Amino acid sequence: MTATIDDICRQIEELGPGTPEYHDATAFLLTIMAKRQWIIADSIRRSRRDREARQERARLKKEAKA
């Protein structure tokens, strides 16, 4: 089953703000969301690095032919 963020937030709210379970669930959700953002950022960094390396190789190859 795939849950949307709205479904998850609704379920967390149903735990009752101020309860330990509510705060545990909120902390877990935010931790997972933050980890996913780090994964995305790392992927973008790798993609940029790889693209720059390919562009540099292409530039050197073009210069060598000239």
Side-chain angles (χ1 to χ4, degrees):
M1 175 181 161
T2 302
T4 66
I5 190 70
D6 291 333
D7 293 335
I8 294 168
C9 289
R10 195 173 311 110
Q11 291 172 0
I12 291 173
E13 284 294 321
E14 290 172 0
L15 293 172
T19 63
E21 294 80 11
Y22 172 89
H23 293 286
D24 287 344
T26 301
F28 181 74
L29 174 62
L30 295 175
T31 300
I32 296 302
M33 291 171 68
K35 182 171 181 160
R36 181 69 185 138
Q37 290 302 310
W38 280 109
I39 291 169
I40 292 168
D42 286 342
S43 174
I44 292 168
R45 283 188 202 97
R46 279 192 306 277
S47 176
R48 285 180 181 169
R49 182 196 63 220
D50 294 347
R51 183 182 66 240
E52 290 168 358
R54 281 191 308 274
Q55 288 173 340
E56 179 65 15
R57 284 193 305 270
R59 185 186 65 76
L60 292 173
K61 186 176 180 181
K62 187 176 181 179
E63 286 177 358
K65 286 184 179 180

